[in-house]
Amino acid sequence: MSQEQDHDLPEPPSSPPFFPQHSLSFRKKRSHSIYSEAAHTSSDPPVFSSDDPPEAEGLENYAAHRKKRKYRGTWWSHELVVGTRNIKTKGELSRNVDSGVWLASDDTQDSLPDATTLLNHGVQHEDPYSTIEECADEEAVNITSSIAPSYISQDDFIAQQAIECYLELGDERIDLSDLSLSSISNATLKSLHSLIRNPRITNEAPSPEHYESLTPFLQLFLSRNALRTLPFELWNLQNLSVLSLRNNKLTELPSCIAKLHNLIELNLAGNRLRWLPWELLRLVGPGGKLRRLNVRPNPLFEGIEFEEVSTVIVDITGMTSTVDYLKDKLDIARQESVNHRQLVSSDNLTERLEKLEKQCAWTEKLCNVFRSRGEKGLFDSAYSAVRHCGESSSFQDRVSTVGPAQTHAPYNYHPAFIASTPVTFFRFDGTLAPYSQTPPTALPLDVRHLPASLLGSVAPPPTTASIYAPSLLDLAFRVSTQHLSHAQILSLLPSDTPLHLLQVLDAAENVRKTNGSAQQDCSACGRPFVIARTEWIEYWHCAPDTFCCPTDELFLPFLRRGCSWGCAFDPATDELYGHSELADN
Amino acid sequence: MADQQTEYVTLVSSDGFEFKVLRSAACLAGAIKRMLDPTSNFAEAVSNRCVFENINGVVLEKVCEYLYYNEKHKESKDVPDMDIPPELCLELLMAADYLDV
Ligand SMILES: [Zn+2]
């Protein structure tokens, strides 16, 4: 096909060509595209085409051109990964078949192609006049999936087909919306990962600047599927700039999302989230790039209910007038309660008074945070910029306008700590400590209102042991899950292993599935743990790039988990900024 | 001798290894504390000697190391991890659960 491939011919593979002849022929049957909106551009094989005139030396054109080469590189890297059993080109395939030498190999383990390689081969082996539309053809999906290896789920096969098309097109907007996916595997997402990393390992050893220009600002849209959990490879897509998980069935977002430090837009709307991971706050403010955060609707915990106000202008002036307004309402309500003290129905009034007092206290606290920051000059003319352009563009899945040019918005919006729920303590084995209340994450689904105190301080429980040292059980769990798989541990443990240990193991396995490791990092001290010893919810104001904030988004619940009891007494709320600034340098 | 609280207690493994450990450290393990509780009328409280039929010497040695490690870091916030040999991790896991530590 091309010289680059020819000179890249490998040593003769040691196992037989795995790609069967008949699958080449069925690929020719494809005719139209279900992804036509993404794939309509090209009637030439896009891999080898160049829309850009060679003399156009602008950075964009250069980058676009490089991208195409990079995607071919992806295919090579797959070749490297899957080893010598692959066939590089059509010409080579026929040679292989003619020689018959490798067909005699008894390497049966490699005889089943994995789907990614299958797809890559499908593309590479197409006739010169074939088009990219063919690769995305619905008919092809059906035919191919019928011969797909049984260990690839239908969901993954569909997702991989779609991803492959976007990669071939050089499109960094990977749209996997509306595919009815109920799960997506790590292997499927890994193809995106290798795509990003590829420039580093290809031919001409690019310099760091080189790498930057090649870096696609990947956007991944998984909206309107049926995802309940997310594969941990997602958190390794460090170049992800836009991630939409809108309208899925997610119940928890893992703290690993903080690894996506290039994230600009995150859409979580329409899921089953009751809290957000506290680590998400690291993506906002000085160390992060997150500019758009969509969280409603979700059944999030609420610390207070706003009845008097529906939206708030989130600057000093707006907050001050909101506080004044609420205080007026409170004064009126107090007056009423004095006047109606003798009435039987004063219960309602008392309740209303309490609610108003809370609203006043929370908004006033936020207002004070704004004031203290205003003195430091954080809030200046940037506001007018936001006022003029920020609010006019809304977060929409398909018409996202955020790109590399807008990553460095002039306006850094710092999250502000407002209130904390009481801390739940767990014993060394993960069971509830005496006098501890039900942890937020175990509350029944109908509990939406979760009160919190503006004062975050907690009294340490009386104990003779070190309240900071990890338990021996947790140390042993950490080493076990590091060195052994879940199944191995289960098979090695004695048959009379207590039930609560097996429950810890299962929970650790669930964490591993979504995080990639059974260990989590303590949100207070950063040390790893398997068994959480403390858990609580903090309400933060976090509305990046929002000028006019609905009151139900003014304070969002963030879950914190600690590795030791001591970690709850000094949760180092302010260190959020410390961490961010460190990460920035 | 019977009702006396000695400074050291003896922990005995299933294969007969004996470890003399500071009482304050040993009592960081909930199970040992209960065994040695003078009000419990357990034989261990009288003899100041705990025999563990289900914990061997290698594992019990590591447990003792942990008890001292925990006591040493009572006041400190910056606690380094104690080293756990991978080959002992599952036995230590069972022992830690049994001993409440
Ligand atoms: Zn901690």
Side-chain angles (χ1 to χ4, degrees), chain A residues 464 466 470-471 478 500 570, chain B residues 66 70 73-74 77 81 97:
Chain A
T464 51
S466 163
S471 73
R478 270 153 58 187
H500 65 265
D570 182 20
Chain B
Y66 174 81
N70 195 321
H73 293 289
K74 236 178 207 171
K77 261 183 159 185
D81 272 356
D97 184 61

Side-chain angles (χ1 to χ4, degrees), chain A residues 60-114:
Chain A
E60 276 186 347
N61 286 330
Y62 177 70
H65 180 64
R66 291 302 312 242
K67 237 176 262 152
K68 283 173 186 165
R69 296 189 53 189
K70 177 156 36 88
Y71 295 125
R72 280 210 7 222
T74 303
W75 173 73
W76 285 339
S77 75
H78 274 296
E79 297 286 323
L80 292 173
V81 169
V82 296
T84 52
R85 61 197 160 95
N86 288 340
I87 310 107
K88 289 272 179 179
T89 67
K90 197 171 190 176
E92 189 191 341
L93 172 68
S94 51
R95 264 190 286 139
N96 293 350
V97 172
D98 287 343
S99 77
V101 174
W102 305 315
L103 288 172
S105 162
D106 59 356
D107 192 354
T108 49
Q109 201 187 355
D110 280 346
S111 60
L112 270 179
D114 68 87

Side-chain angles (χ1 to χ4, degrees), chain A residues 468 521-529 534 561-568:
Chain A
Y468 289 102
D521 289 337
C522 173
S523 85
C525 74
R527 288 181 299 174
F529 66 88
T534 51
R561 287 194 172 115
C563 71
S564 73
W565 286 7
C567 287

